[in-house]
Amino acid sequence: MKDQAERPKGAALEFTDSAPNPEDSCLDRDQEQVLSAALNKLRPGIRKAIELRDLGEHPQERLALVMGLSVAQ
């Protein structure tokens, strides 16, 4: 227990809380709501392309295949 020997007597231990703080959680929810509302205003084909490409992180070739399109070379 080398750490205890090096720590001054009576020194407080520090613990970090890995849970997100309430402010960050609230901001994340707000951003999700704004994004969802914006996506819902798009035409279905455009929305699907964005969801597959940006949210699903699919490559352009996969996106084209799913949507029945060709990829320009």
Side-chain angles (χ1 to χ4, degrees), residues 1-36:
M1 298 279 232
K2 186 177 181 180
D3 289 342
Q4 285 182 336
E6 293 176 4
R7 188 175 45 235
K9 203 170 199 174
L13 293 175
E14 291 186 32
F15 295 97
T16 55
D17 185 1
S18 62
N21 68 46
E23 184 177 339
D24 288 343
S25 295
C26 183
L27 289 173
D28 288 344
R29 278 192 306 275
D30 286 347
Q31 286 179 335
E32 287 175 13
Q33 289 174 347
V34 168
L35 178 59
S36 180

Side-chain angles (χ1 to χ4, degrees), residues 33-66:
Q33 289 174 347
V34 168
L35 178 59
S36 180
L39 285 172
N40 287 332
K41 290 180 181 179
L42 297 174
R43 291 181 309 188
I46 300 296
R47 182 176 58 243
K48 183 176 182 180
I50 290 173
E51 288 172 346
L52 289 171
R53 173 69 183 190
D54 295 330
L55 304 178
E57 299 180 4
H58 291 287
Q60 186 174 354
E61 294 77 16
R62 172 83 174 127
L63 173 65
L65 178 67
V66 168

